[in-house]
Amino acid sequence: MNSYDVIIIGSGFGGSMAAKPLVDAGMKVLMLERGDWVKRSVEENWGPKGSIDLSPFYDKSSLLHVPVGGNKPTMGLYSCVGGPSAFYGGVSFRFREADFEKNEQIEGKDAQGWPITYDDLESYYTQAEGILNISGETDIDPTEPRRSAPLPQHAPALANISQKVKSSAQKLGLHPFQLPLAINYEDTSRQTCLSCKTCDTFACAVSAKNDLATILIPQLTANGMELQHNMVVTRLNVLNRRIVSIECVSKTSKQSYTFKADKFILAAGALGTPHILLSSGLQHYNPGGDVVGRYLMRHLNAIIFGIFPGVADKEGRFHKQLAILDYYFGHPQAPGFNKLGSLQQMPTPPASVVENELKGVLGKVLSPAVKLLSGLLAIVEDQPQYNNALTIDAAFSDEFGLPRVVINHSYSDRDNAAMKILTEEGKKIMKGAGALTHYIHNIRTFSHAVGTVRMGLNEKTSALDEHCHFRGIDNLYVTDGSVMPTSAALNPSLTIAANALRVGEFITRLN
């Protein structure tokens, strides 16, 4: 049985970024990943089955049962080397300083905020932006937090449709700016972005997206990290308040494996991590174990699609380029809200995605009309609620012996009221950009899921301390989105990355 200094479960932002300081320090690290490598080719990635929910990387081997809140009664997991980064749109925001502070409107009367501050993460944000080679604009957005270094890449030229959206927003007195994106525009030593129309929810066929499977994991394995993919973790074994071993099953051979390490990092995602913790019974060792699986957040998301009189994007290029955060901390005409959310540009959707959303004849009839659409994504910070939860049902198990996952999630009245304000503003912007009318598409996926093993100073109401150490187990840490006490109203990936770098560095100092 092989033994390691650290075993990391999951290869997404939480796992890969936590691994970097450990590997750099010369530690013996094993990374276990449930999914496979995503092959990169025009046929594989740009074809009609390239979008993640249509691909083999939408893993249905451990189905999520979602009685309340899903887009389907049963849903799959996103599972591949690099985690969801292989299929994300590259948006890489820093949370704002106030996102880390307690806010009774969001958290309720017992608000505690985060156990760390923006300043605790700032240098790690800078590191993460460097690793991911982020492009974008600074000094435009009124909510922009303090930064100690510029973004590594300049923003690319705007598409014509993006310029129309920008002009419309500016006429309304807003401050549109270019999204921070993990996409290669300037490094000519490798393939640069082709501005293709298959980016968000698609893996990059030419590896111009700076996803973790492209720019970090190969570097980690070259420097000594061992990666075992297609490996499903089924149990963490405890003795004397320590994890002593980890049990796994190979998805391909069905063979069982056991590994040992001095320390363990769980980074299987905000759904996968509580599933493993609950299946292993680890919540019983933790004074805050009652919160494991609870306070699930995923943002309240909706796309305001403008319907244009002709082809919206006449250039036929990817145009997820702009963000508008003027209403992030409220709206002049809604004084009861001290936080609302963000607006981010969304490109014309591929016809194959529409056909998947609208099954049968309706999808085939409407999919050619997608060329008339371009939109804005409204992201509202959803309230952390105890009853929004992932639980397990031991009466049913999957092919690996893991108990069934059951998820129930509902948005609060405040979430919905905030979305109504934000979508009305989005409609105005799209109308000014030339849209004749609009269509609101509600999103019910768990792509931004966070919060199920949250960190905090109060050991009764949080499972992790400020170093993301799992209370009650001496050698277990968590570094994915599940650690977040609140969701902010921005894409979580860069904050997961920065925090994972912070925790990984902390673990190196324990040796």
Side-chain angles (χ1 to χ4, degrees):
M1 186 190 307
N2 288 336
S3 186
Y4 300 86
D5 294 322
V6 184
I7 291 177
I8 300 173
I9 302 164
S11 65
F13 283 104
S16 293
M17 290 292 183
K20 189 176 189 312
L22 304 175
V23 172
D24 289 350
M27 298 175 76
K28 187 178 181 183
V29 177
L30 170 65
M31 179 175 285
L32 300 171
E33 166 53 51
R34 181 188 181 99
D36 204 344
W37 286 94
V38 180
K39 294 177 184 176
R40 305 304 174 103
S41 72
V42 169
E43 183 180 354
E44 293 265 354
N45 310 133
W46 288 351
K49 300 291 186 183
S51 185
I52 189 167
D53 281 15
L54 305 176
S55 79
F57 305 99
Y58 185 64
D59 184 357
K60 298 180 181 178
S61 59
S62 296
L63 279 174
L64 311 173
H65 291 257
V66 193
V68 179
N71 58 7
K72 301 178 182 70
T74 57
M75 300 173 66
L77 289 164
Y78 298 147
S79 181
C80 63
V81 175
S85 78
F87 291 88
Y88 81 146
V91 177
S92 303
F93 268 108
R94 296 179 177 214
F95 283 4
R96 280 38 197 156
E97 289 104 332
D99 288 328
F100 297 90
E101 299 168 3
K102 68 178 184 180
N103 186 323
E104 291 186 8
Q105 279 196 18
I106 299 294
E107 300 175 82
K109 62 181 175 59
D110 296 323
Q112 297 177 45
W114 291 52
I116 59 173
T117 67
Y118 176 83
D119 286 345
D120 292 324
L121 275 191
E122 199 282 329
S123 66
Y124 300 102
Y125 273 131
T126 299
Q127 284 185 47
E129 288 168 343
I131 294 166
L132 297 167
N133 199 20
I134 305 299
S135 71
E137 287 184 309
T138 56
D139 303 321
I140 298 171
D141 168 35
T143 75
E144 183 179 353
R146 176 187 73 81
R147 59 169 50 250
S148 57
L151 288 169
Q153 289 191 91
H154 297 100
L158 287 177
N160 288 340
I161 182 64
S162 302
Q163 189 60 58
K164 291 178 181 177
V165 172
K166 179 180 179 179
S167 297
S168 174
Q170 287 175 329
K171 287 176 183 175
L172 292 167
L174 306 176
H175 301 81
F177 62 99
Q178 290 197 230
L179 285 164
L181 295 173
I183 296 173
N184 182 35
Y185 295 108
E186 296 177 351
D187 180 2
T188 55
S189 68
R190 49 184 280 251
Q191 177 65 56
T192 54
C193 180
L194 302 175
S195 295
C196 74
K197 293 189 289 185
T198 46
C199 187
D200 198 2
T201 80
F202 291 80
C204 184
V206 298
S207 297
K209 190 189 298 182
N210 298 333
D211 63 75
L212 299 167
T214 300
I215 52 92
L216 183 55
I217 293 172
Q219 178 192 109
L220 294 172
T221 55
N223 290 337
M225 184 184 81
E226 182 181 337
L227 172 67
Q228 297 262 6
H229 60 284
N230 286 319
M231 194 69 75
V232 179
V233 173
T234 56
R235 187 168 184 85
L236 303 180
N237 295 313
V238 181
L239 180 66
N240 297 328
R241 292 172 53 98
R242 292 181 64 83
I243 307 297
V244 291
S245 64
I246 184 170
E247 297 176 17
C248 314
V249 177
S250 167
K251 284 174 75 175
T252 49
S253 70
K254 309 304 180 188
Q255 185 175 342
S256 296
Y257 293 84
T258 302
F259 299 100
K260 289 186 174 183
D262 183 51
K263 296 180 180 66
F264 295 81
I265 296 175
L266 252 177
L271 305 182
T273 286
H275 188 198
I276 293 169
L277 289 170
L278 293 169
S279 301
S280 303
L282 299 191
Q283 73 277 18
H284 300 304
Y285 296 88
N286 193 313
D290 180 51
V291 310
V292 174
R294 297 193 173 273
Y295 297 102
L296 170 62
M297 297 165 283
R298 57 174 181 177
H299 289 146
L300 176 52
N301 297 320
I303 304 173
I304 306 113
F305 277 120
I307 303 174
F308 287 76
V311 176
D313 171 28
K314 293 181 173 62
E315 297 172 288
R317 60 177 282 193
F318 182 68
H319 56 271
K320 183 173 181 173
Q321 294 185 294
L322 297 172
I324 301 160
L325 269 62
D326 293 77
Y327 303 120
Y328 196 81
F329 292 115
H331 191 289
Q333 295 174 4
F337 292 84
N338 61 26
K339 293 187 89 174
L340 284 177
S342 60
L343 292 168
Q344 300 177 20
Q345 194 181 16
M346 286 295 287
T348 302
S352 60
V353 176
V354 174
E355 288 184 28
N356 182 56
E357 288 287 324
L358 303 172
K359 300 292 187 186
V361 175
L362 182 61
K364 294 197 177 297
V365 169
L366 292 182
S367 61
V370 298
K371 61 179 182 264
L372 305 178
L373 304 180
S374 186
L376 292 170
L377 171 66
I379 301 179
V380 165
E381 177 171 3
D382 51 332
Q383 295 186 284
Q385 301 180 74
Y386 178 84
N387 289 329
N388 283 344
L390 178 152
T391 57
I392 57 170
D393 183 353
F396 302 91
S397 59
D398 62 22
E399 61 186 274
F400 310 110
L402 284 164
R404 173 181 287 181
V405 170
V406 180
I407 297 173
N408 286 279
H409 184 282
S410 299
Y411 292 110
S412 70
D413 290 343
R414 188 195 187 280
D415 298 341
N416 290 314
M419 177 57 77
K420 186 174 181 181
I421 296 167
L422 215 51
T423 51
E424 288 302 315
E425 297 305 323
K427 290 176 196 175
K428 293 176 189 175
I429 296 167
M430 295 313 298
K431 182 178 180 181
L436 295 177
T437 185
H438 64 272
Y439 154 66
I440 305 294
H441 177 71
N442 295 309
I443 298 173
R444 291 289 184 266
T445 68
F446 290 92
S447 58
H448 285 192
V450 297
T452 49
V453 195
R454 62 187 190 160
M455 59 172 160
L457 296 178
N458 185 334
E459 67 174 21
K460 298 292 187 185
T461 58
S462 53
L464 309 174
D465 68 14
E466 67 271 28
H467 302 297
C468 295
H469 165 244
F470 187 83
R471 293 185 171 104
I473 302 292
D474 293 341
N475 60 342
L476 179 61
Y477 297 81
V478 179
T479 57
D480 54 36
S482 65
V483 310
M484 294 187 179
T486 55
S487 68
L490 294 164
N491 316 58
S493 60
L494 193 73
T495 300
I496 296 170
N499 184 62
L501 287 167
R502 180 184 72 93
V503 175
E505 184 181 287
F506 173 78
I507 292 172
T508 67
R509 295 198 298 267
L510 297 178
N511 284 350

